[in-house]
């Protein structure tokens, strides 16, 4: 039996008020009752709480910590009101904290239960009054490189004014063709004339296509620039992408280089983003003031969430030290190691090791490390001329030797045999050297470092470059040609102060860039959490020392110097 009070509350919610009584009953069946004591939080700013809550009785305060660390009261939730419509559709941390002022009773709808209902009743989504900002987020394009909790805030192309310089040549060519073919219609007919005039139109459309392929994307985590080129104006050609994490942004400046760029006329300009390790420019963007506002708005949101996480983690640490919260559960014991394999298993391991040496994977995960090797195209390029040509001459020498062709027949057979065998050994060493040199070059990605290792065969020389992931400014990739797109290789450029890292001829460069970016952000978050944990421990220890000086050790009382 559905609670009549819950049904009435659902009908009053802006999100659900267009549902009919039967749909409201089905929705109400998915709700759970929830009770909070005074001072208890329903959800905390900066943490995920995928649920919608309707207040039935009591007082619930919504609090927010801003980018400066100041906590402010947003409002009090009144009985019958709901909070958390965004959490039913978007996987984002909460922007406010909900704290019970008095005893609170209400109903809770978890996102998993809501999605299960939408799966059973697909038409239900069209009768919901989704908030406009949530609907805009849901309609935003989704790219394959986005993280699960990452949302697109804006996908922007260059202002159309940047098309004028590249459209002038095909437009001029079109005008010339029209003038010339006007006098040739009688001699050639209409079809040849139309075909000739279509040539500059194709170039015109190709320039517009190239302009459309150049894209700037602002997400909740980063700023992305994707630039594509096309071979013969039609086929996919080189592709490059540049990422800048938002937590590196220090400032955003706007440059309007001409009077036409004024916000009262065409409203475009260049945006220069200052980061900790340099400056990145984005040229000819429309509505730059709006873009800057979105960037600063997201920066403030990220800083506020970081302040809130630190504040509430400090509260939890204090509660734990005061015995008001249970300590975290101990980690489970490590599993017992498996017994060593038998002789058949050892044989399989040997065969696998031989195959791995002959055909090394271009991407391999070893523990918490990811090892990238150069694509086999790089091996073919290194073997393109010298070794095949020398091997062909060696085979020709064998043929001349076996058929006793002049002038080889004038050389003693023993000398011919020895020379050909020696040359064959040297060729084998040459082929092995080139293969081993290609195989030994590795790009290693660890949870905290990026390592470029280049080793010559036979341990003759080894060069290693190392960069900490928190020093990386941006990660870019390039797919240099149509052949590279078909074969699945490209180059990745990692910008680091003091010298860039070039990962050449890596397989699936988009995936490599995403994995480096993902680990870079995870490492920075880990460093921030470790630093915040140290600060929390310092604050808690300071308060504990003050408490001991004032009240004395437990069970003893204040000392002689207590105030």
């Amino acid at each position: 039996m559905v609670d009549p009070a819950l049904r009435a509350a659902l009908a009053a919610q802006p999100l659900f008020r267009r549902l009919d009584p039967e749909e409201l009953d089905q929705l109400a069946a998915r709700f759970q009752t929830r009770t909070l004591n005074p001072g208890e939080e329903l959800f905390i700013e900066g943490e995920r709480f995928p649920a919608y809550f309707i207040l039935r009785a009591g007082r619930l305060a919504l609090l927010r910590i801003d980018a400066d660390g100041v906590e402010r009261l947003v409002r009090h939730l009144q009985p019958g009101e709901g909070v958390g419509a965004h959490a039913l559709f978007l996987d984002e941390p909460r922007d406010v904290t909900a704290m019970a002022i008095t005893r609170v009773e209400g109903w809770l709808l978890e996102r998993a239960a809501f999605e299960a209902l939408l799966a059973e009743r697909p038409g239900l989504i069209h009768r919901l009054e989704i908030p406009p900002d949530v609907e805009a987020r849901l309609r935003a394009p989704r790219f394959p490189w986005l993280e699960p909790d990452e949302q697109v805030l804006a996908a922007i192309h260059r202002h159309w004014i940047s098309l004028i310089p590249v459209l002038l040549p095909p437009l001029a060519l079109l005008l010339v063709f029209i003038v010339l073919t006007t006098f040739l219609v009688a001699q050639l007919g209409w079809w040849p004339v139309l075909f000739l005039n279509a040539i500059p139109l194709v170039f015109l459309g190709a320039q517009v296509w190239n302009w459309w392929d150049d894209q700037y994307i602002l997400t909740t985590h980063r700023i992305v620039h994707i630039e594509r080129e096309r071979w013969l104006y039609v086929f996919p050609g080189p592709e490059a992408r540049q990422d800048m994490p938002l937590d590196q942004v220090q400032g955003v400046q706007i440059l309007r280089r001409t009077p036409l760029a004024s916000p009262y006329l065409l409203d475009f300009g260049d945006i220069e983003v200052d980061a900790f390790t340099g400056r990145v420019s984005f040229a000819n963007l429309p509505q730059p003031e709006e873009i800057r506002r979105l960037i600063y708005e997201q920066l403030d949101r990220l800083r506020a969430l970081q302040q809130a996480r630190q504040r509430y983690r400090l509260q939890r640490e204090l509660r734990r030290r005061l015995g008001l919260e249970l300590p975290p559960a101990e980690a489970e014991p490590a599993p017992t190691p498996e017994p060593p394999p038998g002789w058949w298993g050892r044989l399989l391991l040997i065969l696998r090791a031989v195959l791995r040496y002959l055909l090394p994977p271009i991407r391999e995960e070893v523990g918490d490390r990811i090892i990238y090797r150069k694509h086999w195209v790089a091996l073919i390029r290194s073997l393109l001329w010298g070794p095949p040509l020398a091997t062909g001459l060696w085979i020709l020498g064998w043929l001349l030797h076996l058929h006793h062709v002049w002038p080889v027949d004038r050389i003693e057979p023993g000398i011919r045999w020895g020379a050909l065998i020696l040359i064959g050994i040297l060729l084998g060493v040459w082929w092995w050297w080139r293969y081993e040199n290609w195989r030994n070059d590795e790009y290693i990605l660890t949870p905290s470092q990026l390592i470029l290792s280049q080793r010559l065969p036979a341990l003759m020389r080894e060069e290693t470059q190392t960069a900490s992931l928190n020093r990386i400014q941006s990660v870019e990739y390039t797919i240099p040609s149509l052949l590279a797109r078909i074969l699945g290789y490209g180059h990745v450029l990692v910008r680091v102060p003091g010298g860039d890292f070039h990962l050449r001829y890596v397989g699936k460069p988009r995936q490599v860039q995403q994995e480096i970016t993902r680990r870079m952000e995870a490492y920075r978050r880990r460093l921030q959490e470790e630093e915040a944990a140290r600060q929390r421990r310092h604050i808690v220890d300071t308060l504990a020392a003050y408490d001991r000086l004032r009240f004395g050790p437990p069970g003893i009382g204040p000392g002689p110097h207590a105030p």
Side-chain angles (χ1 to χ4, degrees):
M1 183 65 182
V2 176
D3 188 350
L6 174 56
R7 185 191 296 114
L10 285 175
Q13 302 299 311
L15 181 62
F16 306 120
R17 60 188 173 190
R18 292 171 54 188
L19 302 183
D20 57 41
E22 180 184 355
E23 293 169 337
L24 288 176
D25 289 344
Q26 292 180 351
L27 182 63
R30 308 276 176 166
F31 275 80
Q32 306 172 4
T33 58
R34 184 68 179 269
T35 303
L36 300 175
N37 295 318
E40 187 177 354
E41 293 102 353
L42 176 65
F43 52 81
I44 293 175
E45 181 181 358
E47 296 187 355
R48 285 173 175 79
F49 185 76
Y52 184 81
F53 181 77
I54 300 176
L55 180 63
R56 180 175 187 175
R59 294 182 61 196
L60 191 68
L62 301 182
L63 308 169
R64 175 176 293 152
I65 297 176
D66 59 21
D68 298 324
V70 179
E71 188 173 31
R72 305 178 189 277
L73 174 66
V74 178
R75 68 186 181 95
H76 285 95
L77 203 67
Q78 301 299 322
E81 286 188 311
V83 60
H86 291 64
L88 293 179
F89 303 95
L90 303 176
D91 185 19
E92 291 185 342
R94 292 285 187 166
D95 287 335
V96 295
T97 295
M99 177 184 289
I101 305 302
T102 62
R103 178 179 171 81
V104 165
E105 297 178 359
W107 301 282
L108 187 73
L109 174 63
E110 295 183 350
R111 182 178 178 179
F114 179 67
E115 290 177 344
L117 177 62
L118 293 181
E120 296 176 5
R121 302 285 299 270
L124 193 67
I125 188 70
H126 303 294
R127 288 187 292 278
L128 298 175
E129 288 194 13
I130 302 175
D133 56 337
V134 176
E135 192 168 6
R137 294 279 189 92
L138 295 176
R139 290 181 177 177
R142 292 293 301 177
F143 299 95
W145 42 264
L146 289 174
E147 298 293 333
D149 60 341
E150 189 175 8
Q151 298 289 330
V152 174
L153 301 177
I156 312 154
H157 300 278
R158 292 183 190 268
H159 195 273
W160 59 263
I161 196 71
S162 60
L163 270 174
I164 294 179
V166 297
L167 291 183
L168 286 178
L171 285 174
L173 185 63
L174 177 62
L175 181 62
V176 171
F177 272 48
I178 292 175
V179 173
L180 291 178
T181 54
T182 302
F183 301 100
L184 300 176
V185 173
Q187 290 81 8
L188 300 178
W190 282 104
W191 287 110
V193 169
L194 292 176
F195 176 76
L196 291 175
N197 287 327
I199 295 176
L201 287 176
V202 170
F203 287 118
L204 195 69
Q207 295 293 353
V208 175
W209 197 351
N210 281 333
W211 168 79
W212 185 260
D213 278 343
D214 196 2
Q215 198 170 21
Y216 299 89
I217 302 166
L218 174 63
T219 75
T220 52
H221 293 181
R222 49 189 158 169
I223 304 172
V224 181
H225 178 207
I226 300 178
E227 188 172 6
R228 305 180 184 92
E229 296 181 9
R230 295 189 178 270
W231 294 100
L232 299 177
Y233 299 99
V234 176
F235 303 104
E239 177 181 329
R241 194 180 99 196
Q242 178 184 10
D243 288 19
M244 172 176 285
L246 281 177
D247 58 4
Q248 287 196 6
V249 175
Q250 290 181 304
V252 181
Q253 301 179 12
I254 296 176
L255 298 179
R256 301 182 187 268
R257 302 184 183 278
T258 66
L260 291 176
S262 168
Y264 303 103
L265 295 176
L266 299 182
D267 193 12
F268 70 94
D270 300 346
I271 289 184
E272 294 188 348
V273 180
D274 295 322
F276 289 111
T277 51
R279 173 176 292 181
V280 180
S281 298
F282 305 101
N284 293 330
L285 297 187
Q287 299 180 337
E289 294 288 350
E290 176 67 14
I291 298 173
R292 180 167 66 176
R293 184 192 67 80
L294 287 174
I295 293 175
Y296 277 129
E297 185 178 278
Q298 188 62 22
L299 282 175
D300 288 341
R301 180 174 179 272
L302 292 177
R303 290 166 183 158
L305 293 178
Q306 184 178 359
Q307 292 279 356
R309 292 189 186 103
Q310 293 181 5
R311 178 78 56 84
Y312 289 108
R313 285 171 183 169
L314 174 60
Q315 291 183 8
R316 287 173 182 165
E317 182 69 17
L318 286 171
R319 287 173 179 172
R320 188 183 66 82
R321 292 286 292 269
L322 294 175
L324 303 177
E325 187 173 295
L326 295 177
E330 297 182 358
E332 297 181 358
T336 56
E338 298 181 359
W343 66 269
W344 178 249
R346 293 191 184 97
L347 180 60
L348 289 178
L349 290 176
I350 293 173
L351 292 176
R352 187 180 301 173
V354 172
L355 289 175
R356 185 181 177 278
Y357 176 79
L358 296 176
L359 300 171
I362 59 176
R363 181 191 179 277
E364 182 181 15
E365 292 192 33
V366 181
D368 59 358
R369 300 185 304 163
I370 302 178
I371 301 175
Y372 306 104
R373 295 182 180 88
K374 290 184 178 180
H375 198 273
W376 53 265
V377 170
L379 175 62
I380 293 177
R381 287 174 62 93
S382 67
L383 299 174
L384 196 57
W385 295 109
L389 182 60
T391 304
L393 294 175
W394 180 68
I395 295 173
L396 179 62
W398 272 106
L399 293 175
L400 295 176
H401 165 68
L402 295 175
H403 293 85
H404 305 285
V405 179
W406 183 89
V408 178
D409 59 344
R410 297 181 177 272
I411 305 174
E412 292 293 333
I415 297 176
R416 295 202 304 262
W417 276 98
L420 288 173
I421 292 174
L422 179 60
I423 293 173
I425 294 174
L426 293 177
L427 280 175
V429 172
W430 193 5
W431 280 93
W432 171 82
W433 181 278
R434 291 295 183 91
Y435 172 80
E436 191 71 11
N437 190 37
W438 164 78
R439 183 181 175 276
N440 283 342
D441 290 346
E442 295 178 342
Y443 311 120
I444 304 172
L445 179 63
T446 73
S448 60
Q449 290 181 327
L450 177 63
I451 304 171
L452 273 64
S453 176
Q454 295 179 331
R455 292 175 295 168
L456 290 178
L459 302 177
M460 293 189 62
R461 188 183 66 184
E462 181 175 356
E463 295 181 2
T464 302
Q465 292 178 277
T466 304
S468 178
L469 295 183
N470 65 332
R471 298 184 67 246
I472 294 177
Q473 176 185 356
S474 65
V475 185
E476 310 167 19
Y477 77 83
T478 304
I479 300 176
S481 64
L482 177 61
L483 180 63
R485 186 183 298 273
I486 295 173
L487 298 180
Y489 74 90
H491 313 306
V492 175
L493 174 62
V494 180
R495 298 194 178 275
V496 181
D500 298 336
F501 280 40
H502 298 269
L503 283 64
R504 303 187 185 276
Y505 294 101
V506 293
K508 300 181 180 179
R510 293 190 189 94
Q511 179 182 348
V512 174
Q513 188 218 32
Q514 293 173 19
E515 289 174 340
I516 294 176
T517 303
R518 191 179 297 118
R519 292 210 170 190
M520 177 179 69
E521 294 175 353
Y523 183 58
R524 286 175 178 159
R525 285 195 299 268
R526 194 180 80 190
L527 291 180
Q528 292 173 357
E529 291 172 359
E530 290 175 354
E531 177 62 26
R534 283 194 293 269
Q535 294 179 1
R536 290 195 300 270
R537 287 194 298 269
H538 175 70
I539 293 173
V540 170
D541 291 341
T542 302
L543 293 176
Y546 172 78
D547 189 67
R548 190 175 188 278
L549 288 174
R550 184 171 183 179
F551 301 105
I556 299 179
H561 301 289

